[in-house]
Amino acid sequence: MKSEPGEIIDMHVHIVGNGSSGSGCWLKLDSWHRPVAGLMLRHVGLPASALRGDLDRLYLARLLELLRGSSIRRAVILAQDAVHDDSGKRCQDPGSFYVPNSYVLQLARQHPEFLPAVSIHPARPDALEELERCIAGGAVMMKCLPNCQNIDCRNPRFTRFWERMAEAGLPLLAHTGGEHTLPVVRPDLADPRILTRPLDCGVTVIAAHCGTRSGLLDRDYFETFVEMTRAYPRLYGDISAFNVPTRGGRIRECLREPLVSRLVHGSDFPVPVYAVGAWLRGLVDWNVYRAGRRNANPIERDYQLKRAMGFPPEVFTRISRLLPAGPRPVSS
Ligand SMILES: [Zn+2]
């Protein structure tokens, strides 16, 4: 365990694909989400036409290239389970994406830069079997988006699932706060309070985005999240997508102790990284803003901006202490 605790890790990186390589990934984009997806691809240096081409390989190659050209040593790559109803039946996704667990586990075996985070809807009839399979396959985290995937973590039927995660030392990364890049099916499940159940079962939980709002009109759950960190020593927050201007409104509070000691770094790649929000808020000076704008690598730009804002080095390495097994060495 904890073989290389000083490594800089981005613990929130999405894998996206259209199944072109046989990955099993799919994308279903409605007329509102298609331009958003195109914008995100262009932002990371891929043509929007990749959506209809060999997206699997293009996306993977670009991600590896950006990662290797950055200060980040490893990335936790995220699978994405489908939406299921409360009885565990898979829903017809209205406009969403899917990334199978087997694909992220395979990518992590092929590329030592990657650490695999699987995604399992706990209402699935095979949820516990799939969890065992993923633990055996080397999963380091479980990712879910309760408000988009319809996962009410308080459901007592999920208790055994959380207990098994706790036993295996598998942390839960759960989306908190609003969401605008994916369709939301249960807005009320953006509330971090639904995470008390896995926490009570002994799971280490990371609240993605610390409950902050995604759009200007969203409800902000940041205060709720902060209050919960006082009651739950196993609760952490990630600072992913904080360089999307609407998400960055709580950065100043996040820089203060004791909260900053409960934060971990993630980019939310391929979500765009803008330097302008940090500059307008007075978190970075003009030179940092200009350097950020010139930096063509969004993974590095996100890292440099957050360092310049004052996030201490531990925020970028802390996640290795929370993962079940020490990362393997990167041979580069
Ligand atoms: Zn994300």
Side-chain angles (χ1 to χ4, degrees):
M1 255 185 101
K2 307 165 196 169
S3 63
E4 293 180 63
E7 279 187 338
I8 299 175
I9 297 179
D10 179 340
M11 50 63 70
H12 191 142
V13 169
H14 288 279
I15 291 294
V16 180
N18 59 3
S20 57
S21 71
S23 63
C25 297
W26 49 254
L27 273 166
K28 281 186 205 159
L29 299 165
D30 58 24
S31 51
W32 162 244
H33 290 95
R34 181 164 286 277
V36 177
L39 178 124
M40 287 205 257
L41 286 185
R42 282 194 300 277
H43 189 83
V44 303
L46 288 174
S49 62
L51 285 171
R52 284 179 298 274
D54 190 0
L55 181 63
D56 285 8
R57 286 192 187 86
L58 289 168
Y59 186 89
L60 176 65
R62 184 65 181 149
L63 171 58
L64 282 167
E65 183 187 4
L66 292 172
L67 204 54
R68 288 168 184 160
S70 78
S71 307
I72 307 292
R73 201 70 172 142
R74 271 176 230 272
V76 178
I77 53 168
L78 312 179
Q80 172 86 7
D81 204 355
V83 185
H84 289 68
D85 68 18
D86 294 335
S87 72
K89 205 163 103 350
R90 199 171 171 139
C91 302
Q92 288 301 339
D93 295 304
S96 190
F97 76 114
Y98 174 71
V99 179
N101 295 330
S102 53
Y103 185 47
V104 295
L105 293 170
Q106 175 209 322
L107 289 180
R109 279 194 298 273
Q110 290 167 343
H111 305 283
E113 294 90 345
F114 291 155
L115 298 164
V118 294
S119 181
I120 305 165
H121 196 301
R124 276 167 55 166
D126 68 339
L128 274 167
E129 287 100 299
E130 179 65 5
L131 181 59
E132 289 306 332
R133 194 182 72 83
C134 291
I135 291 167
V140 302
M141 198 185 278
M142 209 293 271
K143 166 75 196 293
C144 69
L145 288 94
N147 55 341
C148 298
Q149 290 171 321
N150 181 43
I151 301 175
D152 187 342
C153 300
R154 297 164 296 189
N155 188 331
R157 286 196 296 122
F158 302 160
T159 303
R160 184 66 202 119
F161 188 86
W162 305 133
E163 285 172 352
R164 182 64 190 111
M165 276 182 63
E167 272 167 35
L170 203 66
L172 171 67
L173 170 61
H175 180 94
T176 54
E179 170 64 43
H180 289 274
T181 48
L182 295 174
V184 170
V185 294
R186 281 280 305 271
D188 57 313
L189 301 182
D191 190 331
R193 273 173 290 211
I194 66 160
L195 301 173
T196 50
R197 185 95 186 174
L199 285 163
D200 287 334
C201 292
V203 178
T204 292
V205 177
I206 302 157
H209 322 297
C210 301
T212 56
R213 58 164 59 98
S214 171
L216 288 172
L217 301 174
D218 286 340
R219 183 156 163 205
D220 184 355
Y221 293 98
F222 178 74
E223 299 292 349
T224 308
F225 161 72
V226 174
E227 215 173 280
M228 284 175 68
T229 60
R230 295 189 194 110
Y232 291 96
R234 287 180 196 277
L235 177 63
Y236 294 80
D238 87 17
I239 59 171
S240 65
F242 272 21
N243 281 312
V244 172
T246 48
R247 277 252 188 240
R250 300 295 200 155
I251 290 173
R252 230 175 265 284
E253 287 140 289
C254 285
L255 289 168
R256 291 189 207 123
E257 289 289 1
L259 184 59
V260 71
S261 291
R262 303 290 281 280
L263 301 181
V264 292
H265 166 64
S267 62
D268 211 359
F269 183 91
V271 169
V273 176
Y274 299 106
V276 66
W279 178 62
L280 288 173
R281 290 189 171 96
L283 293 160
V284 299
D285 65 23
W286 176 252
N287 290 331
V288 171
Y289 164 67
R290 289 295 300 269
R293 284 206 54 162
R294 278 196 299 269
N295 192 333
N297 183 337
I299 292 179
E300 182 66 8
R301 187 189 316 139
D302 186 56
Y303 171 72
Q304 293 296 345
L305 282 168
K306 286 170 176 169
R307 287 291 287 124
M309 289 172 197
F311 283 105
E314 297 74 36
V315 167
F316 302 86
T317 59
R318 178 166 292 126
I319 189 67
S320 67
R321 288 198 285 113
L322 309 180
L323 301 179
R328 297 154 299 156
V330 177
S331 47
S332 55

